[in-house]
Amino acid sequence: MNNLSKRLRDSLLAPTFTSKKKSHNFNPSSASVEVEEPYGRRVIGACLRQQYYRMTEEPTSNVGNPDYTISAMLGDKVSELLVFLIDNYGFQMGLQRATTEHPFYDPRINLSGRSDIILWDYIQKEIVGVEVKSVGSYKASKTIEAPADEHIMQAALYLDYYRTYIPEDQPSPKKWYIWYFSRTENYSIKGKKHGSPLEMLWDFFITLDSDDNPVVHTPTCSRAYKHLNLKNIHARFKQLKASIDTSTLPQRDYTLNYSEERIAGLHSLGLLTRKVDTEKVDKWLKKGAPEGKLKIEMGDFECQLCAWKDKCWDLSKNEIQTNVSNIKQETAEKDKTEVDKLDSFW
């Protein structure tokens, strides 16, 4: 059983041919900011050390997860589906597609990428942008009432780019929609807390205020996210550039395994989300918080997914060798035998 699934997994891990292209530019999806919280420094968005490794072509130390590869592919297909729906129902929606997958480059911060969809809204008489996000069960529950911070930063960067480089006598997007599509059914979307008439699709839109703070507009309110100010986003990109220019490895932005002290601190602030964890911490504290006895494994999800996790945390000296091709010898020999048979036949 699962013969086809096993073959697909193996092929995703070792495709027939691989391509490697060095990236010299930053990407909107790698935007980040640094904020101060009661428990200390916190980074929202991409880790600078991870981006440093990526842009300096440091060999990876961890194999990617095929499930996440498929999820990314599903995201591309979701974008295609929504473009198809707009093309077919846009007349009724009052929308016309202006462009999709529009490539851009912002020389101010060496930023390049592609914006998903740009539309003309006949009802509001304005041009708008759309960022499509396909989300699984967990992320759907986290974005049900407001968009994720990292998605807000992307939208802010798009708005800033187009307002800067579109001529003043032409309309530029003042709104950037974040359109969520849930890949799974779950309690969160069935409850429709997102306010959408559709279970699996909901959206918010982002604007920029006079101080360059992204303003998030939801069905219930509009709020400026001052900690995601464009100046803060640009500062992190400039910090990464300085690290690359001086070959200086940035500090880690996330933690693989939290210390007992940090877990206890998160508990005191009410930031532990699982009841089983809070109960363990309570019992541990009642015993006098003996060192090494908490027995809770907790860390940042970003580290778990990182292709340089072992290298970053000195867990292993192994480097993943990426071959240009992974053609199986037995397959090639079998194909040659078949060709020889045909030659002899003719």
Side-chain angles (χ1 to χ4, degrees), residues 200-268:
M200 302 182 74
L201 282 160
W202 65 99
D203 60 89
F204 312 98
F205 71 86
I206 313 300
T207 59
L208 290 174
D209 67 15
S210 58
D211 294 321
D212 286 344
N213 298 310
V215 180
V216 178
H217 304 266
T218 75
T220 58
C221 69
S222 297
R223 181 167 72 89
Y225 281 51
K226 295 182 179 180
H227 61 295
L228 303 181
N229 185 279
L230 275 173
K231 183 178 179 180
N232 298 339
I233 299 172
H234 287 191
R236 287 275 292 179
F237 281 130
K238 291 175 182 177
Q239 184 179 340
L240 175 57
K241 182 180 185 302
S243 294
I244 293 171
D245 290 345
T246 60
S247 300
T248 304
L249 185 66
Q251 66 175 312
R252 302 183 184 98
D253 285 327
Y254 294 99
T255 303
L256 181 62
N257 294 304
Y258 293 164
S259 66
E260 292 177 333
E261 291 77 13
R262 181 168 182 179
I263 295 173
L266 292 172
H267 176 58
S268 67

Side-chain angles (χ1 to χ4, degrees), residues 102 104-109 111 115 118 127-129 153-176 206-215 228-234:
H102 179 246
F104 68 87
Y105 174 69
D106 188 340
R108 296 173 301 168
I109 50 173
L111 185 78
S115 53
I118 298 179
I127 194 165
V128 299
M153 288 189 284
Q154 278 187 256
L157 287 169
Y158 294 145
L159 287 168
D160 180 47
Y161 171 79
Y162 287 105
R163 73 174 179 182
T164 302
Y165 293 102
I166 290 180
E168 291 184 3
D169 60 344
Q170 298 178 25
S172 63
K174 302 295 189 297
K175 295 178 184 174
W176 209 276
I206 313 300
T207 59
L208 290 174
D209 67 15
S210 58
D211 294 321
D212 286 344
N213 298 310
V215 180
L228 303 181
N229 185 279
L230 275 173
K231 183 178 179 180
N232 298 339
I233 299 172
H234 287 191

Side-chain angles (χ1 to χ4, degrees), residues 123-188:
I123 296 175
Q124 301 295 330
K125 295 181 173 54
E126 61 183 355
I127 194 165
V128 299
V130 181
E131 176 70 11
V132 178
K133 294 296 182 185
S134 71
V135 289
S137 177
Y138 175 78
K139 200 67 173 182
S141 67
K142 293 297 183 181
T143 57
I144 208 77
E145 297 181 65
D149 281 357
E150 60 268 26
H151 301 159
I152 296 170
M153 288 189 284
Q154 278 187 256
L157 287 169
Y158 294 145
L159 287 168
D160 180 47
Y161 171 79
Y162 287 105
R163 73 174 179 182
T164 302
Y165 293 102
I166 290 180
E168 291 184 3
D169 60 344
Q170 298 178 25
S172 63
K174 302 295 189 297
K175 295 178 184 174
W176 209 276
Y177 286 89
I178 303 176
W179 204 355
Y180 286 103
F181 185 105
S182 177
R183 299 191 299 268
T184 61
E185 295 185 40
N186 57 67
Y187 175 78
S188 297

